[in-house]
Amino acid sequence: MVKTYRIELDEHDLGQILDGLEIRADSWKRTAEYLRAGDMPDGELFMIEECSDEDEAEGMAATYGRIIGMLVAQRELIDE
């Protein structure tokens, strides 16, 4: 059974968490691009995430994107 947690954060802390999640999502997206193309996207340097293949990397990027989406949606509900 999956547990659900209710966490209260102030606006600043939520912003910091979202920034960190966006960095992780981007890292996984770049890893998927690297695994698909075989070289660094746009010649940029970045840390390649450890995974078995591009599907896993894309899945991780999607997971981070889903979490970001849920947090942003909840923030928008409170801001209304």
Side-chain angles (χ1 to χ4, degrees), residues 7-77:
I7 300 170
E8 293 187 26
L9 301 167
D10 67 27
E11 183 177 359
H12 176 74
D13 290 345
L14 178 58
Q16 294 299 310
I17 288 171
L18 286 170
D19 284 347
L21 291 171
E22 288 169 359
I23 289 168
R24 299 296 297 137
D26 185 61
S27 182
W28 281 106
K29 287 177 194 172
R30 289 173 180 251
T31 296
E33 291 171 10
Y34 169 78
L35 293 171
R36 198 172 17 259
D39 59 0
M40 298 291 189
D42 301 324
E44 296 179 29
L45 297 178
F46 68 96
M47 186 67 88
I48 298 168
E49 299 294 337
E50 185 176 337
C51 61
S52 58
D53 57 26
E54 73 181 78
D55 290 335
E56 181 181 0
E58 288 173 349
M60 290 299 298
T63 296
Y64 279 100
R66 179 182 54 78
I67 295 167
I68 291 165
M70 288 189 316
L71 292 173
V72 169
Q74 289 179 36
R75 179 180 63 187
E76 290 171 355
L77 282 175

